[in-house]
Amino acid sequence: MKRYEYKFVEVSAKNGLKAKPGETFEECKTVIASEAENGWRLKQVVTPFHEKMGVYSATGYQIIFEKEI
Protein backbone atom coordinates (compact mmCIF):
# COMPACT_ATOMS: atom_id res chain seq x y z
CA MET A 1 0.00 0.00 0.00
CA LYS A 2 1.32 3.44 -0.92
CA ARG A 3 1.89 6.03 1.80
CA TYR A 4 1.95 9.79 1.44
CA GLU A 5 3.04 12.81 3.39
CA TYR A 6 1.41 16.21 3.06
CA LYS A 7 2.69 19.75 3.27
CA PHE A 8 0.55 22.85 3.81
CA VAL A 9 1.73 26.27 2.65
CA GLU A 10 -0.24 29.43 3.42
CA VAL A 11 -0.23 32.37 1.04
CA SER A 12 -1.88 35.48 2.49
CA ALA A 13 -4.24 37.45 0.27
CA LYS A 14 -2.77 40.73 -0.83
CA ASN A 15 -5.34 43.48 -0.69
CA GLY A 16 -5.50 47.16 -0.02
CA LEU A 17 -4.22 50.18 -1.87
CA LYS A 18 -0.65 48.89 -2.24
CA ALA A 19 -1.60 45.52 -3.74
CA LYS A 20 -1.04 44.98 -7.45
CA PRO A 21 -3.67 43.05 -9.45
CA GLY A 22 -2.76 39.38 -9.62
CA GLU A 23 -0.02 39.66 -6.99
CA THR A 24 -1.44 36.88 -4.80
CA PHE A 25 -1.94 34.61 -7.81
CA GLU A 26 1.66 35.14 -8.90
CA GLU A 27 2.88 34.27 -5.40
CA CYS A 28 0.79 31.06 -5.48
CA LYS A 29 2.33 30.11 -8.85
CA THR A 30 5.82 30.71 -7.46
CA VAL A 31 5.15 28.52 -4.41
CA ILE A 32 3.70 25.71 -6.55
CA ALA A 33 6.63 25.75 -9.00
CA SER A 34 9.17 25.82 -6.16
CA GLU A 35 7.60 22.90 -4.32
CA ALA A 36 7.28 20.88 -7.55
CA GLU A 37 11.05 21.23 -8.03
CA ASN A 38 11.47 19.62 -4.61
CA GLY A 39 9.32 16.60 -5.52
CA TRP A 40 5.98 17.76 -4.10
CA ARG A 41 2.81 17.33 -6.14
CA LEU A 42 0.01 19.88 -5.93
CA LYS A 43 -3.00 18.21 -4.31
CA GLN A 44 -5.45 21.05 -3.64
CA VAL A 45 -5.82 24.78 -3.07
CA VAL A 46 -8.26 25.81 -0.33
CA THR A 47 -9.58 29.31 0.22
CA PRO A 48 -10.38 29.81 3.91
CA PHE A 49 -12.94 32.50 4.60
CA HIS A 50 -13.58 34.52 7.73
CA GLU A 51 -16.41 36.77 8.69
CA LYS A 52 -15.64 40.44 9.20
CA MET A 53 -18.60 42.65 10.08
CA GLY A 54 -21.07 40.25 8.47
CA VAL A 55 -19.12 39.96 5.21
CA TYR A 56 -17.15 36.86 4.33
CA SER A 57 -13.80 37.44 2.70
CA ALA A 58 -10.82 35.30 1.72
CA THR A 59 -7.83 35.63 4.01
CA GLY A 60 -5.52 33.85 1.60
CA TYR A 61 -4.95 30.35 0.31
CA GLN A 62 -3.86 27.05 1.81
CA ILE A 63 -1.88 25.17 -0.83
CA ILE A 64 -1.71 21.45 -0.11
CA PHE A 65 1.09 19.31 -1.52
CA GLU A 66 1.53 15.54 -1.53
CA LYS A 67 4.60 13.33 -1.76
CA GLU A 68 4.83 9.56 -1.77
CA ILE A 69 6.99 8.15 1.05
Side-chain angles (χ1 to χ4, degrees):
M1 183 165 88
K2 292 183 178 182
R3 296 182 58 205
Y4 299 91
E5 63 179 310
Y6 295 90
K7 182 176 189 175
F8 300 82
V9 178
E10 184 174 343
V11 176
S12 297
K14 306 283 191 267
N15 53 24
L17 298 175
K18 295 182 181 180
K20 297 175 186 166
E23 185 176 0
T24 301
F25 180 66
E26 290 301 319
E27 185 175 347
C28 288
K29 289 185 347 185
T30 301
V31 168
I32 292 166
S34 174
E35 295 301 333
E37 287 179 10
N38 293 316
W40 291 94
R41 181 173 74 168
L42 175 65
K43 184 68 175 175
Q44 185 175 8
V45 178
V46 179
T47 308
F49 285 88
H50 72 92
E51 184 177 5
K52 184 176 183 180
M53 295 187 293
V55 177
Y56 286 92
S57 62
T59 58
Y61 300 92
Q62 287 286 331
I63 305 174
I64 304 168
F65 295 94
E66 174 182 74
K67 185 190 284 189
E68 189 174 343
I69 53 175

